[in-house]
């Protein structure tokens, strides 16, 4: 078994971003700028946003956090987005999900100007992705493609089971892996809660991407010898072995499955860091006006 080390891959990519940003500053230009909006005080969301801010700072990307109270109305949030849309010195904006129940997520996503939608969730950018046009790919599937590329893992002609069909992970991952591209050219089966014979589908797959959001769902008897296993899940579970009192586990039973896999991502340190790297890459694309001139 070989480990797909998301930290190593993401450090290599982030070093290049850092170098590019330093070059811009040396040339007297402004740094790329990412804005993040956080509504409410969900602890997991606060951690995710803090990690994104820290990662921006480390590569020299300016980050601004708009922290709004949980009772912010939808109109107030749309007002903040409009303000950011019009600020020429902000290249990209992300709205941390989930939003409070009284705010409609789709209305908010569609209010972001597509040129600043570095999460790649706006329907215009999703449409571009489906059409194979240059766009901002959603950060997690983008990060996974970069991992496969970094470790030169062959995908062409392989059978792939993508577990999950969410708009942010499973559906774009299925689409991207089936594209005529490298990485890509897989024969993909998208698996969801109405799928039959899931164990059979995963056991026949050369590549399994696990994004069900079910702790330790994928067991060794569900994968074939030599499979490539990508674990997207993140779950905080109690632990008496750590100082914090918890540890992170994924959708894959790593200890068991790693004995059969040819390549596997750990949790933490696999897909997680690459998701943030995907966001940084999209922010650079927005700054360079690569998608929208
Ligand atoms: N590492 C990262 O950076 C990163 C980024 C994003 C998400 N995540 C993690 O990845 C996981 C998935 O996230 P998500 O947002 O895609 O989740 P989600 O929106 O909850 O979607 C889960 C998908 O899995 C399917 N599913 C769940 N349990 C199933 C089961 N037992 N059998 C069959 N299908 C099942 C659901 O099917 P239906 O559609 O039929 O309901 C749904 O399509 C979570 O643990 C999340 O925390 C990690």
């Amino acid at each position: 078994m070989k480990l797909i080390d998301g930290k190593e891959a993401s450090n290599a990519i982030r070093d290049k971003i850092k170098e590019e940003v330093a070059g811009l500053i040396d040339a007297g230009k402004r740094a790329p700028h990412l804005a993040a909006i956080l509504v409410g005080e969900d602890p997991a969301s606060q951690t995710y946003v803090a990690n994104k801010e820290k990662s921006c700072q480390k590569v020299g990307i300016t980050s601004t956090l708009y922290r709004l109270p949980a009772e912010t109305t939808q109109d107030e949030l749309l007002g903040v987005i409009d303000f950011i849309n019009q600020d020429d010195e902000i290249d990209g904006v992300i709205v941390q999900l989930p939003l409070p129940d009284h705010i409609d997520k789709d209305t908010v996503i569609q209010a972001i100007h597509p040129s600043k939608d570095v999460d790649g969730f706006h329907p215009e950018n999703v449409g571009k992705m489906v059409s194979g046009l240059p766009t901002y790919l959603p950060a997690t599937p983008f990060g996974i493609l970069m991992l496969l590329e970094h470790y030169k893992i062959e995908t062409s002609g392989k059978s792939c089971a993508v577990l999950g069909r969410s708009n942010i992970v499973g559906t774009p991952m299925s689409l991207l892996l089936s594209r005529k591209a490298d990485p890509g050219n897989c024969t993909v089966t998208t698996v969801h809660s109405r799928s039959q014979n899931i164990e059979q589908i995963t056991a026949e797959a050369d590549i399994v991407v696990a994004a069900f959001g079910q702790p330790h769902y994928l067991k060794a008897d569900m994968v074939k010898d030599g499979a490539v296993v990508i674990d997207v899940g993140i779950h905080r579970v109690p632990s008496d072995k750590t100082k914090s009192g918890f540890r992170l586990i994924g959708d894959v039973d790593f200890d068991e499955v790693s004995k059969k896999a040819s390549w596997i991502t750990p949790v933490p340190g696999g897909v997680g860091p690459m998701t943030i790297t995907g966001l940084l890459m999209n922010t650079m694309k927005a700054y360079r006006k690569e998608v929208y001139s």
Side-chain angles (χ1 to χ4, degrees), residues 237-278:
V237 295
S239 168
D240 52 17
K241 292 195 182 97
T242 61
K243 223 164 81 182
S244 61
F246 71 87
R247 68 187 179 103
L248 295 178
I249 64 166
D251 278 12
V252 176
D253 190 336
F254 183 90
D255 290 346
E256 266 194 30
V257 175
S258 57
K259 290 180 191 144
K260 284 181 89 177
S262 58
W263 290 94
I264 187 166
T265 59
V267 175
V271 173
M274 290 304 290
T275 293
I276 299 191
T277 300

Side-chain angles (χ1 to χ4, degrees), residues 48 140 163-170 191-195 198 210-214 217 231-235 251 270-276:
Y48 291 142
T140 302
L163 309 191
R165 59 174 167 187
S166 70
N167 284 348
I168 63 166
V169 186
V191 184
H192 48 74
S193 62
R194 301 296 172 94
S195 298
I198 297 178
F212 268 175
Q214 303 288 342
Y217 176 90
D231 192 352
V232 182
I234 310 179
H235 313 278
D251 278 12
V271 173
M274 290 304 290
T275 293
I276 299 191

